[in-house]
Amino acid sequence: MVIQLLVAALLTGSIYGLIALGYSLIYRASGIMNLAQGDLMCLGGFMGYTFYNILGLPIFGAMLCTMVSMFLIGCVLERIVVRPIFNRNVSSSALILATVAVSYIVQSLELVIWGGAPLNMKSFLKVQTITFLGVSYQTESLLCIGVALLCMLTLHIFMKKSSFGIAMRAAAMDPIAARSCGINVDQTNRITWAISTSVAGLAGILVGPLYGITTTLGTAMSTKGFASAVVGGYGDMYGALLGGGVLAALETFAAGYLSSSLKQLVAYVAVLIVLFIKPRGLLNVEAVKD
Amino acid sequence: MKLWVRATLLTVIVAIGASTVGCNGAASGKPSGNEGASGGDANEFKVGISVSYTGPNAQNGLEAINGLNMALDYINENDGFNGGKAVLATLYDTKGSTEEAVKSAQKFIQNENVNAVIASQVSAEVLAAGRYYDEAGIFTIAMGTSPSVMQKGWKHIIRGSVNYDFVVPEVVSCINDMEISKIAVMKDQSEAALTFAQAFEEKAKEQGIEILISESCEPEDTDLSAQCARIIAADPQAVFISMTSNDCGYFVKQIRQYGYDGIIFDKESFFASMVGIAGAENSNYIIFANPYVTYEKIEDCTIDNMRAFLEEYQERFGQLPTTEIAYRAYDSAMVIWEASKIAGSNEAEAMLAAVPKIKIEGLGGTMDYSNNDGEPYHTVRRFIYVDGVNMDWNEWMESGGYLKYKETTKNEY
């Protein structure tokens, strides 16, 4: 049972981590919380359904198309919603409210385009179960974990090794200094939003075959992703991944060894404890100053 | 316009276009109701339906509306309600919420002046809104299955589906007949699921069946990996599921993928929509006792009136119903009609007085209210899902299906 729970925790942690990653990236770049992140994940799920189920693209093609589409949507969001409000030097509350509005708009569009009925994505793989050392595993879970880890690794390399990634990090750390070095901070912010939306979309398509896609999925995942980001250290990419893993492990093992009824209770009590003991998260991340 | 903006717009347009083509149809979230109808008309008989057509239960609600529309059209072709034209009231989405169910009840009563209401298949919604219908004296027929609905003493509410109190003994009897003695239970936290699970566990223990473990989940919680791991670790001979909405399908999919290949007993019909979620190969050996079953192909249906219903449904809506709620709504409308015909009146009190005289052939069998308890079904049939078809359980047993199952799975009891 331990190994099965561990795999389940890794899967859930990967999804939470991807959503939390989006929260942290945007916070670090723009200083705001994007409360539309969960609904953007949901939108990614719906788009993935369209590419995979309806248009019949192969799975990796559907994932790529979803990520590219969500990347472009992220660019548009930043350009037409976030940037104009940000440039008016309003308080961060106004920006957060704007993301709430985006959240509701996205949900409504999903209802109009895809309808209210839950959508079931086809399984990614023909073989649904493999047995190893007497324990059975969902192959889809293993695929999802692999894809999520690959995405995180790619992002890590991009941010650490590529010139644009370094520019993004510089702009996030100190926009004024970055501008003075010739970095286009507006562009890096836009790309940050786009990457954040893209990984949210990837999370959406990954959960599709496992949990189905409904317009209400984003709300639940949004809360979990936000909690993961806070636990790991809000604003830190690695903290987001760590937080996702920790939260998922707490939930899964609490459900496995105590009771499934205690799953949420244990996880969120743990979040509170982390906030009391380490308010900057497990990686001790400094907040973005206004 | 910048290239990236054009590319984004093009992508969004393609996505919208593909989704509209792929997701069109009444079953995909576009309920067809008589929008705008309001006020009373002496030549009309207005029927309201209280269902959720968005969110996780959306498919149930949409199909219920379809089933009701079919029934109302049939009624209108056959002289209506004592000459009064059957009209569907404005649709109000309960959104799976008891609060919204109460609001829709109030709208039906105050704004719509409905003659009758078909109340939700979600018993919790009926329990919340029922007293409003009863106090307003509206003839109400509930599609929910929880025993609690008819225990409230509401005079104006009857049931249009099966009471689970009649299903529990049949399921337990089936378990005994198959010589299974160790069961795991999986339930969600909805009122109907908890009530049924509790009744099942009590009855099972009375009959000497051991409940090894009882797991639960929140409604709409689709990550059930921990519960699956615990159930498999308990090594039951069979699993009993008491779950609502789509949770059922996700649980079956996950427990099968975690390696459980034994019998699964379901508290209600394992809908085609659940098979769609779980996968046909994962849905084998699911047993239930219920008046209604869903079909994936019309050819699998051997019941004449059901087949006629399915053919018309497919012609109108482009696909077969994936849940049994379409049947419940259709039958409920037929019960209302029968009550008005026997009473010779469209007045609620006269129709209610006529209820004990109702005996009609519904899509799930004979609907007989002569017990004067507001319940139409007092016996249920057993079914098992095998190789894509819901088979009669007795036929499966007699044809050696159980022996073949034991040989295939190497499970012994």
Side-chain angles (χ1 to χ4, degrees), chain B residues 311-346:
Chain B
E311 284 168 352
E312 186 184 339
Y313 191 100
Q314 173 141 336
E315 195 182 322
R316 276 178 78 147
F317 305 112
Q319 64 180 66
L320 293 180
T322 58
T323 74
E324 65 172 67
I325 314 303
Y327 311 151
R328 293 190 202 176
Y330 185 92
D331 279 351
S332 296
M334 290 302 171
V335 167
I336 299 172
W337 188 39
E338 187 70 10
S340 77
K341 284 193 288 181
I342 294 172
S345 163
N346 294 343

mmCIF file of all heavy atoms in Angstrom, chain B residues 311-346:
data_model
loop_
_atom_site.group_PDB
_atom_site.id
_atom_site.type_symbol
_atom_site.label_atom_id
_atom_site.label_comp_id
_atom_site.label_asym_id
_atom_site.label_seq_id
_atom_site.Cartn_x
_atom_site.Cartn_y
_atom_site.Cartn_z
ATOM 1 N N GLU B 311 -35.609 4.661 -29.404
ATOM 2 C CA GLU B 311 -35.552 5.022 -30.823
ATOM 3 C C GLU B 311 -35.954 6.475 -31.023
ATOM 4 O O GLU B 311 -35.309 7.221 -31.772
ATOM 5 C CB GLU B 311 -36.463 4.081 -31.640
ATOM 6 C CG GLU B 311 -35.852 2.707 -31.836
ATOM 7 C CD GLU B 311 -36.832 1.680 -32.375
ATOM 8 O OE1 GLU B 311 -38.043 1.985 -32.474
ATOM 9 O OE2 GLU B 311 -36.376 0.565 -32.682
ATOM 10 N N GLU B 312 -36.998 6.872 -30.327
ATOM 11 C CA GLU B 312 -37.423 8.260 -30.472
ATOM 12 C C GLU B 312 -36.396 9.206 -29.880
ATOM 13 O O GLU B 312 -36.098 10.256 -30.445
ATOM 14 C CB GLU B 312 -38.777 8.480 -29.788
ATOM 15 C CG GLU B 312 -39.293 9.881 -30.050
ATOM 16 C CD GLU B 312 -40.586 10.207 -29.317
ATOM 17 O OE1 GLU B 312 -41.297 9.252 -28.938
ATOM 18 O OE2 GLU B 312 -40.851 11.395 -29.122
ATOM 19 N N TYR B 313 -35.824 8.810 -28.737
ATOM 20 C CA TYR B 313 -34.823 9.656 -28.085
ATOM 21 C C TYR B 313 -33.624 9.862 -28.999
ATOM 22 O O TYR B 313 -33.135 10.971 -29.184
ATOM 23 C CB TYR B 313 -34.387 9.014 -26.763
ATOM 24 C CG TYR B 313 -33.565 9.920 -25.876
ATOM 25 C CD1 TYR B 313 -34.134 10.591 -24.794
ATOM 26 C CD2 TYR B 313 -32.193 10.106 -26.111
ATOM 27 C CE1 TYR B 313 -33.383 11.418 -23.974
ATOM 28 C CE2 TYR B 313 -31.447 10.935 -25.299
ATOM 29 C CZ TYR B 313 -32.044 11.590 -24.240
ATOM 30 O OH TYR B 313 -31.291 12.424 -23.426
ATOM 31 N N GLN B 314 -33.202 8.775 -29.617
ATOM 32 C CA GLN B 314 -32.026 8.859 -30.488
ATOM 33 C C GLN B 314 -32.320 9.738 -31.701
ATOM 34 O O GLN B 314 -31.483 10.530 -32.129
ATOM 35 C CB GLN B 314 -31.599 7.459 -30.949
ATOM 36 C CG GLN B 314 -30.504 7.506 -31.991
ATOM 37 C CD GLN B 314 -29.470 6.412 -31.794
ATOM 38 O OE1 GLN B 314 -29.271 5.878 -30.705
ATOM 39 N NE2 GLN B 314 -28.801 6.047 -32.848
ATOM 40 N N GLU B 315 -33.534 9.609 -32.219
ATOM 41 C CA GLU B 315 -33.883 10.400 -33.393
ATOM 42 C C GLU B 315 -33.938 11.893 -33.064
ATOM 43 O O GLU B 315 -33.489 12.729 -33.848
ATOM 44 C CB GLU B 315 -35.256 9.936 -33.904
ATOM 45 C CG GLU B 315 -35.560 10.417 -35.307
ATOM 46 C CD GLU B 315 -36.951 9.994 -35.770
ATOM 47 O OE1 GLU B 315 -37.369 8.863 -35.433
ATOM 48 O OE2 GLU B 315 -37.589 10.810 -36.439
ATOM 49 N N ARG B 316 -34.442 12.199 -31.898
ATOM 50 C CA ARG B 316 -34.582 13.606 -31.528
ATOM 51 C C ARG B 316 -33.272 14.238 -31.079
ATOM 52 O O ARG B 316 -32.999 15.400 -31.379
ATOM 53 C CB ARG B 316 -35.581 13.752 -30.389
ATOM 54 C CG ARG B 316 -37.022 13.796 -30.821
ATOM 55 C CD ARG B 316 -37.955 13.882 -29.653
ATOM 56 N NE ARG B 316 -38.008 15.240 -29.126
ATOM 57 C CZ ARG B 316 -39.099 15.776 -28.581
ATOM 58 N NH1 ARG B 316 -40.191 15.075 -28.497
ATOM 59 N NH2 ARG B 316 -39.090 16.988 -28.106
ATOM 60 N N PHE B 317 -32.469 13.476 -30.337
ATOM 61 C CA PHE B 317 -31.325 14.101 -29.679
ATOM 62 C C PHE B 317 -29.978 13.573 -30.167
ATOM 63 O O PHE B 317 -28.940 13.997 -29.702
ATOM 64 C CB PHE B 317 -31.443 13.912 -28.154
ATOM 65 C CG PHE B 317 -32.737 14.421 -27.594
ATOM 66 C CD1 PHE B 317 -33.682 13.541 -27.087
ATOM 67 C CD2 PHE B 317 -33.040 15.769 -27.602
ATOM 68 C CE1 PHE B 317 -34.887 14.007 -26.592
ATOM 69 C CE2 PHE B 317 -34.238 16.246 -27.106
ATOM 70 C CZ PHE B 317 -35.173 15.359 -26.597
ATOM 71 N N GLY B 318 -30.019 12.642 -31.105
ATOM 72 C CA GLY B 318 -28.772 12.215 -31.734
ATOM 73 C C GLY B 318 -27.971 11.201 -30.961
ATOM 74 O O GLY B 318 -26.909 10.780 -31.397
ATOM 75 N N GLN B 319 -28.417 10.795 -29.805
ATOM 76 C CA GLN B 319 -27.714 9.768 -29.042
ATOM 77 C C GLN B 319 -28.678 9.150 -28.051
ATOM 78 O O GLN B 319 -29.756 9.697 -27.804
ATOM 79 C CB GLN B 319 -26.507 10.345 -28.310
ATOM 80 C CG GLN B 319 -26.859 11.373 -27.245
ATOM 81 C CD GLN B 319 -25.625 11.923 -26.548
ATOM 82 O OE1 GLN B 319 -24.801 12.598 -27.166
ATOM 83 N NE2 GLN B 319 -25.489 11.645 -25.283
ATOM 84 N N LEU B 320 -28.277 8.011 -27.491
ATOM 85 C CA LEU B 320 -29.110 7.362 -26.473
ATOM 86 C C LEU B 320 -28.869 8.032 -25.123
ATOM 87 O O LEU B 320 -27.792 8.615 -24.900
ATOM 88 C CB LEU B 320 -28.760 5.874 -26.377
ATOM 89 C CG LEU B 320 -29.100 5.024 -27.596
ATOM 90 C CD1 LEU B 320 -28.685 3.576 -27.359
ATOM 91 C CD2 LEU B 320 -30.590 5.079 -27.911
ATOM 92 N N PRO B 321 -29.819 7.925 -24.210
ATOM 93 C CA PRO B 321 -29.564 8.474 -22.866
ATOM 94 C C PRO B 321 -28.418 7.716 -22.204
ATOM 95 O O PRO B 321 -28.317 6.492 -22.342
ATOM 96 C CB PRO B 321 -30.875 8.219 -22.099
ATOM 97 C CG PRO B 321 -31.795 7.544 -23.025
ATOM 98 C CD PRO B 321 -31.134 7.314 -24.329
ATOM 99 N N THR B 322 -27.569 8.460 -21.538
ATOM 100 C CA THR B 322 -26.440 7.816 -20.867
ATOM 101 C C THR B 322 -26.696 7.640 -19.372
ATOM 102 O O THR B 322 -25.870 7.069 -18.664
ATOM 103 C CB THR B 322 -25.152 8.643 -21.058
ATOM 104 O OG1 THR B 322 -25.377 9.956 -20.541
ATOM 105 C CG2 THR B 322 -24.783 8.734 -22.527
ATOM 106 N N THR B 323 -27.821 8.174 -18.885
ATOM 107 C CA THR B 323 -28.213 7.977 -17.491
ATOM 108 C C THR B 323 -29.668 7.513 -17.488
ATOM 109 O O THR B 323 -30.353 7.628 -18.504
ATOM 110 C CB THR B 323 -28.113 9.270 -16.671
ATOM 111 O OG1 THR B 323 -29.202 10.138 -17.024
ATOM 112 C CG2 THR B 323 -26.803 9.998 -16.928
ATOM 113 N N GLU B 324 -30.134 7.025 -16.346
ATOM 114 C CA GLU B 324 -31.529 6.562 -16.287
ATOM 115 C C GLU B 324 -32.498 7.695 -15.970
ATOM 116 O O GLU B 324 -33.705 7.487 -15.887
ATOM 117 C CB GLU B 324 -31.671 5.465 -15.235
ATOM 118 C CG GLU B 324 -31.407 5.949 -13.833
ATOM 119 C CD GLU B 324 -31.727 4.915 -12.766
ATOM 120 O OE1 GLU B 324 -31.034 3.882 -12.700
ATOM 121 O OE2 GLU B 324 -32.660 5.160 -11.988
ATOM 122 N N ILE B 325 -31.964 8.894 -15.766
ATOM 123 C CA ILE B 325 -32.822 9.986 -15.307
ATOM 124 C C ILE B 325 -33.819 10.398 -16.399
ATOM 125 O O ILE B 325 -34.917 10.878 -16.088
ATOM 126 C CB ILE B 325 -31.977 11.193 -14.834
ATOM 127 C CG1 ILE B 325 -30.833 10.708 -13.935
ATOM 128 C CG2 ILE B 325 -32.829 12.179 -14.035
ATOM 129 C CD1 ILE B 325 -31.259 9.901 -12.709
ATOM 130 N N ALA B 326 -33.432 10.191 -17.652
ATOM 131 C CA ALA B 326 -34.388 10.474 -18.744
ATOM 132 C C ALA B 326 -35.629 9.605 -18.577
ATOM 133 O O ALA B 326 -36.756 10.062 -18.781
ATOM 134 C CB ALA B 326 -33.732 10.205 -20.090
ATOM 135 N N TYR B 327 -35.410 8.342 -18.205
ATOM 136 C CA TYR B 327 -36.543 7.431 -18.016
ATOM 137 C C TYR B 327 -37.411 7.889 -16.840
ATOM 138 O O TYR B 327 -38.643 7.852 -16.905
ATOM 139 C CB TYR B 327 -36.066 6.007 -17.708
ATOM 140 C CG TYR B 327 -35.011 5.426 -18.617
ATOM 141 C CD1 TYR B 327 -34.114 4.488 -18.115
ATOM 142 C CD2 TYR B 327 -34.910 5.774 -19.951
ATOM 143 C CE1 TYR B 327 -33.128 3.931 -18.918
ATOM 144 C CE2 TYR B 327 -33.929 5.225 -20.757
ATOM 145 C CZ TYR B 327 -33.043 4.301 -20.242
ATOM 146 O OH TYR B 327 -32.062 3.750 -21.034
ATOM 147 N N ARG B 328 -36.743 8.285 -15.767
ATOM 148 C CA ARG B 328 -37.492 8.695 -14.570
ATOM 149 C C ARG B 328 -38.377 9.898 -14.896
ATOM 150 O O ARG B 328 -39.534 9.960 -14.472
ATOM 151 C CB ARG B 328 -36.534 9.069 -13.438
ATOM 152 C CG ARG B 328 -35.724 7.909 -12.870
ATOM 153 C CD ARG B 328 -35.011 8.357 -11.596
ATOM 154 N NE ARG B 328 -33.857 7.526 -11.281
ATOM 155 C CZ ARG B 328 -33.032 7.759 -10.254
ATOM 156 N NH1 ARG B 328 -33.240 8.771 -9.438
ATOM 157 N NH2 ARG B 328 -32.004 6.964 -10.039
ATOM 158 N N ALA B 329 -37.805 10.859 -15.627
ATOM 159 C CA ALA B 329 -38.576 12.070 -15.946
ATOM 160 C C ALA B 329 -39.757 11.727 -16.857
ATOM 161 O O ALA B 329 -40.868 12.228 -16.663
ATOM 162 C CB ALA B 329 -37.669 13.095 -16.613
ATOM 163 N N TYR B 330 -39.503 10.885 -17.831
ATOM 164 C CA TYR B 330 -40.574 10.472 -18.760
ATOM 165 C C TYR B 330 -41.688 9.771 -17.991
ATOM 166 O O TYR B 330 -42.874 10.103 -18.138
ATOM 167 C CB TYR B 330 -39.982 9.541 -19.825
ATOM 168 C CG TYR B 330 -40.959 9.136 -20.900
ATOM 169 C CD1 TYR B 330 -41.064 9.879 -22.076
ATOM 170 C CD2 TYR B 330 -41.756 7.993 -20.755
ATOM 171 C CE1 TYR B 330 -41.954 9.500 -23.081
ATOM 172 C CE2 TYR B 330 -42.637 7.619 -21.754
ATOM 173 C CZ TYR B 330 -42.724 8.371 -22.909
ATOM 174 O OH TYR B 330 -43.612 7.994 -23.906
ATOM 175 N N ASP B 331 -41.305 8.795 -17.179
ATOM 176 C CA ASP B 331 -42.303 8.052 -16.402
ATOM 177 C C ASP B 331 -43.043 8.965 -15.430
ATOM 178 O O ASP B 331 -44.252 8.815 -15.221
ATOM 179 C CB ASP B 331 -41.635 6.908 -15.630
ATOM 180 C CG ASP B 331 -41.404 5.681 -16.491
ATOM 181 O OD1 ASP B 331 -41.915 5.644 -17.629
ATOM 182 O OD2 ASP B 331 -40.701 4.750 -16.024
ATOM 183 N N SER B 332 -42.322 9.893 -14.823
ATOM 184 C CA SER B 332 -42.965 10.813 -13.876
ATOM 185 C C SER B 332 -44.043 11.634 -14.576
ATOM 186 O O SER B 332 -45.137 11.828 -14.033
ATOM 187 C CB SER B 332 -41.915 11.744 -13.251
ATOM 188 O OG SER B 332 -40.986 11.003 -12.484
ATOM 189 N N ALA B 333 -43.745 12.094 -15.772
ATOM 190 C CA ALA B 333 -44.733 12.869 -16.535
ATOM 191 C C ALA B 333 -45.953 11.998 -16.860
ATOM 192 O O ALA B 333 -47.101 12.461 -16.793
ATOM 193 C CB ALA B 333 -44.104 13.408 -17.815
ATOM 194 N N MET B 334 -45.697 10.749 -17.181
ATOM 195 C CA MET B 334 -46.808 9.830 -17.495
ATOM 196 C C MET B 334 -47.668 9.578 -16.265
ATOM 197 O O MET B 334 -48.899 9.426 -16.373
ATOM 198 C CB MET B 334 -46.251 8.497 -18.030
ATOM 199 C CG MET B 334 -45.642 8.635 -19.405
ATOM 200 S SD MET B 334 -46.852 9.270 -20.588
ATOM 201 C CE MET B 334 -45.820 9.567 -21.991
ATOM 202 N N VAL B 335 -47.062 9.534 -15.102
ATOM 203 C CA VAL B 335 -47.821 9.342 -13.861
ATOM 204 C C VAL B 335 -48.712 10.554 -13.607
ATOM 205 O O VAL B 335 -49.893 10.408 -13.244
ATOM 206 C CB VAL B 335 -46.858 9.099 -12.679
ATOM 207 C CG1 VAL B 335 -47.578 9.206 -11.343
ATOM 208 C CG2 VAL B 335 -46.195 7.739 -12.809
ATOM 209 N N ILE B 336 -48.162 11.732 -13.819
ATOM 210 C CA ILE B 336 -48.958 12.959 -13.624
ATOM 211 C C ILE B 336 -50.161 12.933 -14.578
ATOM 212 O O ILE B 336 -51.299 13.248 -14.199
ATOM 213 C CB ILE B 336 -48.110 14.219 -13.880
ATOM 214 C CG1 ILE B 336 -46.936 14.302 -12.910
ATOM 215 C CG2 ILE B 336 -48.959 15.482 -13.770
ATOM 216 C CD1 ILE B 336 -45.938 15.407 -13.227
ATOM 217 N N TRP B 337 -49.886 12.570 -15.813
ATOM 218 C CA TRP B 337 -50.947 12.513 -16.826
ATOM 219 C C TRP B 337 -52.023 11.516 -16.428
ATOM 220 O O TRP B 337 -53.217 11.808 -16.504
ATOM 221 C CB TRP B 337 -50.323 12.133 -18.172
ATOM 222 C CG TRP B 337 -51.228 12.214 -19.353
ATOM 223 C CD1 TRP B 337 -52.182 13.162 -19.611
ATOM 224 C CD2 TRP B 337 -51.235 11.311 -20.458
ATOM 225 N NE1 TRP B 337 -52.788 12.906 -20.819
ATOM 226 C CE2 TRP B 337 -52.232 11.781 -21.365
ATOM 227 C CE3 TRP B 337 -50.521 10.165 -20.790
ATOM 228 C CZ2 TRP B 337 -52.505 11.128 -22.581
ATOM 229 C CZ3 TRP B 337 -50.800 9.538 -21.997
ATOM 230 C CH2 TRP B 337 -51.782 10.004 -22.878
ATOM 231 N N GLU B 338 -51.587 10.335 -15.992
ATOM 232 C CA GLU B 338 -52.532 9.298 -15.586
ATOM 233 C C GLU B 338 -53.391 9.774 -14.420
ATOM 234 O O GLU B 338 -54.606 9.525 -14.387
ATOM 235 C CB GLU B 338 -51.760 8.025 -15.204
ATOM 236 C CG GLU B 338 -52.621 6.821 -14.934
ATOM 237 C CD GLU B 338 -53.294 6.257 -16.175
ATOM 238 O OE1 GLU B 338 -52.951 6.683 -17.296
ATOM 239 O OE2 GLU B 338 -54.191 5.424 -16.019
ATOM 240 N N ALA B 339 -52.756 10.461 -13.490
ATOM 241 C CA ALA B 339 -53.509 10.983 -12.341
ATOM 242 C C ALA B 339 -54.590 11.957 -12.811
ATOM 243 O O ALA B 339 -55.727 11.927 -12.326
ATOM 244 C CB ALA B 339 -52.553 11.680 -11.367
ATOM 245 N N SER B 340 -54.236 12.818 -13.762
ATOM 246 C CA SER B 340 -55.227 13.800 -14.244
ATOM 247 C C SER B 340 -56.347 13.098 -15.010
ATOM 248 O O SER B 340 -57.518 13.494 -14.918
ATOM 249 C CB SER B 340 -54.549 14.862 -15.121
ATOM 250 O OG SER B 340 -54.260 14.359 -16.412
ATOM 251 N N LYS B 341 -56.003 12.061 -15.744
ATOM 252 C CA LYS B 341 -57.058 11.347 -16.513
ATOM 253 C C LYS B 341 -58.014 10.633 -15.574
ATOM 254 O O LYS B 341 -59.238 10.691 -15.749
ATOM 255 C CB LYS B 341 -56.401 10.330 -17.463
ATOM 256 C CG LYS B 341 -55.770 10.972 -18.694
ATOM 257 C CD LYS B 341 -55.419 9.953 -19.769
ATOM 258 C CE LYS B 341 -54.236 9.113 -19.360
ATOM 259 N NZ LYS B 341 -53.825 8.123 -20.378
ATOM 260 N N ILE B 342 -57.458 9.936 -14.557
ATOM 261 C CA ILE B 342 -58.322 9.210 -13.614
ATOM 262 C C ILE B 342 -59.196 10.189 -12.842
ATOM 263 O O ILE B 342 -60.397 9.958 -12.634
ATOM 264 C CB ILE B 342 -57.467 8.361 -12.637
ATOM 265 C CG1 ILE B 342 -56.751 7.245 -13.396
ATOM 266 C CG2 ILE B 342 -58.341 7.784 -11.524
ATOM 267 C CD1 ILE B 342 -55.739 6.472 -12.556
ATOM 268 N N ALA B 343 -58.586 11.311 -12.444
ATOM 269 C CA ALA B 343 -59.351 12.307 -11.676
ATOM 270 C C ALA B 343 -60.360 13.044 -12.550
ATOM 271 O O ALA B 343 -61.346 13.578 -12.031
ATOM 272 C CB ALA B 343 -58.389 13.312 -11.049
ATOM 273 N N GLY B 344 -60.099 13.110 -13.836
ATOM 274 C CA GLY B 344 -60.951 13.900 -14.726
ATOM 275 C C GLY B 344 -60.793 15.382 -14.441
ATOM 276 O O GLY B 344 -61.648 16.204 -14.783
ATOM 277 N N SER B 345 -59.678 15.728 -13.828
ATOM 278 C CA SER B 345 -59.485 17.115 -13.397
ATOM 279 C C SER B 345 -57.989 17.398 -13.352
ATOM 280 O O SER B 345 -57.176 16.488 -13.163
ATOM 281 C CB SER B 345 -60.091 17.302 -12.004
ATOM 282 O OG SER B 345 -59.611 18.486 -11.390
ATOM 283 N N ASN B 346 -57.625 18.663 -13.520
ATOM 284 C CA ASN B 346 -56.222 19.064 -13.400
ATOM 285 C C ASN B 346 -55.929 19.704 -12.051
ATOM 286 O O ASN B 346 -54.861 20.258 -11.841
ATOM 287 C CB ASN B 346 -55.859 20.042 -14.529
ATOM 288 C CG ASN B 346 -55.904 19.397 -15.898
ATOM 289 O OD1 ASN B 346 -55.888 18.167 -16.010
ATOM 290 N ND2 ASN B 346 -55.975 20.206 -16.944
#
